[in-house]
Amino acid sequence: MSTEDSGHPSVPVEYATWRKSRWEEVAGPGGKAGTVQLAMVSHPEPGVPGLPGRWEVSASGVLTLTVTAADGVSIGGRPVTGVVEVESGSQVELADGRVCFVQGRGGTYGMVVWDPAAPVLTGLREIASYPYDPSWVVDAEYRAVPGRTVEVGRLTSPRSKETVSAPGDLVVELGGQEHTLVVLESVPGLRLAVFTDPSSGTDTPEIGRWLILPPDEGSNLRVDFNQVILPHHVFSTAFPCPIPLEANHLPVVVDAGERAPVLDERNRSTVTEPDKKGQDGTMEPELTEKAVQYLRHLEKFDFASMRAMCADTASVWHNDGKGEQTIEENLEQLKQMTGGGAALRYDIVRQFQKPDEVLQQHVLHISMPGGSGIELPVAMYFGFKDGLIDRIEEYANMTPPDQGHVTDGS
């Protein structure tokens, strides 16, 4: 775990204790970083892909496992053969070192498969976090919205959507302004605010971070943004975490809580995409995240960071009639936008990835100083070379005639 707060007199004991328990949750036995598979089995469908033996649930709701001695399976340290009953809470040890944790009720059982040799687990050195700041412990209001559901995206491959319970809103004042976050409850009793902020895609993951609300204590809450955590998906792609709702974007930087996982240099070569390490020792994002990160830099008019993400040979093409440009020419054109006071926001609709290629659809929102606004549907292609952007192609649905010309935003 990170030691940047250790011994600091202003850090509460409760926070230090939470950091230790959080590290165990991620990197300890059965922790998130070692999770390689999530599976479910229920009657009458038998079998669990990737696991030895035959798993099945009887009509009466009993889970059994049928294995041979050659399978090398143990339950609670005891080798088993034949047909054995697997109770909820059991720990099934496999011959290759993986461990399957079983939980279930009502005839449906879930399995969490944990691998002590998982690349992220073996390479994880710490969870980088912002320094503890007591000003991020704030009063908030929970406004119940009984029966409400929302459709959220899931980080599955391919991406999927699911309707989940959204039983309330968290209303909190940050930076002198009141903000409202939709609260999800896909797991009963776990109220979760999944949010993004201006740091998302740069200092923190593009897929946002989580604020877990304290147990139900009525409408008045005390929430601690120092305990904001990274989504499980950051440590293992086995977790189909929710994608943040557009409504849950905070316009202020939440420089509190967890920032990014940090991997040991010795494990760099064993970590595969999207868990590869960057030069700074943190997890390097997959190409889809890099594409979005490039646009987040543009939203901030951070042209130096944009250029750093591109290869020396990078070129740009867009359908505005200007033809081919070098990356330097394109950035010079974009710099002209800063003088007009326009603000940009990119809302990602969908992405498709192949080796060294990303095709993305998004909506570009351009806000002018006078309050007028323009929305442009855009398709953008990113080509990569050695992890750097080498080609950008933009296909924009050009501005309607009554709204005038808008400088290209690629």
Side-chain angles (χ1 to χ4, degrees), residues 195-319:
F195 71 92
T196 55
D197 69 350
S199 75
S200 301
T202 52
D203 291 340
T204 63
E206 174 66 28
I207 58 175
R209 291 182 291 162
W210 294 358
L211 175 64
I212 299 176
L213 273 62
D216 190 1
E217 298 175 350
S219 60
N220 297 319
L221 302 177
R222 187 78 166 162
V223 295
D224 188 354
F225 281 86
N226 292 290
Q227 294 188 17
V228 161
I229 66 173
L230 300 172
H232 302 336
H233 191 86
V234 170
F235 302 102
S236 170
T237 55
F239 292 100
C241 294
I243 298 172
L245 299 171
E246 181 179 348
N248 278 20
H249 179 76
L250 294 172
V252 297
V253 174
V254 180
D255 51 356
E258 295 180 346
R259 292 177 49 235
V262 181
L263 292 179
D264 192 313
E265 181 68 26
R266 294 171 298 177
N267 293 80
R268 179 174 182 177
S269 62
T270 67
V271 179
T272 57
E273 293 284 3
D275 300 317
K276 187 171 59 177
K277 270 191 57 181
Q279 293 181 353
D280 61 355
T282 60
M283 303 280 278
E284 183 178 329
E286 58 180 316
L287 298 185
T288 51
E289 294 181 10
K290 287 185 178 182
V292 178
Q293 183 175 336
Y294 184 83
L295 299 180
R296 297 296 179 235
H297 288 319
L298 178 51
E299 288 176 338
K300 301 175 183 178
F301 298 117
D302 185 355
F303 301 110
S305 294
M306 292 170 67
R307 183 63 185 90
M309 296 186 68
C310 298
D312 292 340
T313 56
S315 60
V316 180
W317 177 92
H318 34 77
N319 66 329

Side-chain angles (χ1 to χ4, degrees), residues 60-375:
S60 61
V62 175
L63 175 64
T64 61
L65 171 61
T66 304
V67 291
T68 66
D71 290 319
V73 173
S74 299
I75 298 180
R78 179 178 62 86
V80 296
T81 58
V83 181
V84 293
E85 182 176 330
V86 183
E87 299 179 349
S88 178
S90 295
Q91 178 175 309
V92 181
E93 298 96 9
L94 308 182
D96 60 4
R98 290 179 298 162
V99 179
C100 181
F101 299 93
V102 180
Q103 293 287 341
R105 62 180 179 179
T108 299
Y109 293 82
M111 287 86 168
V112 176
V113 183
W114 183 78
D115 187 350
V120 177
L121 177 64
T122 58
L124 189 63
R125 186 168 73 238
E126 64 175 298
I127 304 173
S129 299
Y130 292 101
Y132 179 85
D133 184 347
S135 68
W136 281 107
V137 183
V138 298
D139 292 319
E141 180 185 359
Y142 179 75
R143 296 176 182 172
V145 186
R148 183 179 63 180
T149 61
V150 295
E151 186 178 63
V152 299
R154 289 283 185 183
L155 290 165
T156 55
S157 183
R159 298 287 172 91
S160 60
K161 293 184 177 180
E162 180 183 4
T163 299
V164 302
S165 174
D169 293 328
L170 180 70
V171 181
V172 61
E173 183 177 309
L174 301 174
Q177 292 187 333
E178 184 177 276
H179 305 282
T180 300
L181 298 174
V182 177
V183 176
L184 306 179
E185 191 175 10
S186 55
V187 177
L190 179 63
R191 298 184 298 173
L192 184 68
V194 183
F195 71 92
T196 55
D197 69 350
S199 75
S200 301
T202 52
D203 291 340
T204 63
E206 174 66 28
I207 58 175
R209 291 182 291 162
W210 294 358
L211 175 64
I212 299 176
L213 273 62
D216 190 1
E217 298 175 350
S219 60
N220 297 319
L221 302 177
R222 187 78 166 162
V223 295
D224 188 354
F225 281 86
N226 292 290
Q227 294 188 17
V228 161
I229 66 173
L230 300 172
H232 302 336
H233 191 86
V234 170
F235 302 102
S236 170
T237 55
F239 292 100
C241 294
I243 298 172
L245 299 171
E246 181 179 348
N248 278 20
H249 179 76
L250 294 172
V252 297
V253 174
V254 180
D255 51 356
E258 295 180 346
R259 292 177 49 235
V262 181
L263 292 179
D264 192 313
E265 181 68 26
R266 294 171 298 177
N267 293 80
R268 179 174 182 177
S269 62
T270 67
V271 179
T272 57
E273 293 284 3
D275 300 317
K276 187 171 59 177
K277 270 191 57 181
Q279 293 181 353
D280 61 355
T282 60
M283 303 280 278
E284 183 178 329
E286 58 180 316
L287 298 185
T288 51
E289 294 181 10
K290 287 185 178 182
V292 178
Q293 183 175 336
Y294 184 83
L295 299 180
R296 297 296 179 235
H297 288 319
L298 178 51
E299 288 176 338
K300 301 175 183 178
F301 298 117
D302 185 355
F303 301 110
S305 294
M306 292 170 67
R307 183 63 185 90
M309 296 186 68
C310 298
D312 292 340
T313 56
S315 60
V316 180
W317 177 92
H318 34 77
N319 66 329
D320 62 357
K322 293 185 174 66
E324 295 279 340
Q325 294 180 308
T326 65
I327 187 62
E328 285 80 9
E329 291 171 337
N330 183 249
L331 292 178
E332 284 300 320
Q333 177 182 321
L334 294 173
K335 288 178 183 178
Q336 299 175 13
M337 301 174 63
T338 60
L344 308 180
R345 189 180 87 249
Y346 290 86
D347 289 340
I348 312 304
V349 177
R350 57 177 59 90
Q351 292 179 304
F352 304 92
Q353 178 176 335
K354 288 185 176 182
D356 294 327
E357 294 181 307
V358 171
L359 181 62
Q360 174 174 295
Q361 179 185 352
H362 57 248
V363 178
L364 169 59
H365 301 265
I366 304 177
S367 301
M368 307 306 291
S372 62
I374 299 172
E375 294 184 358

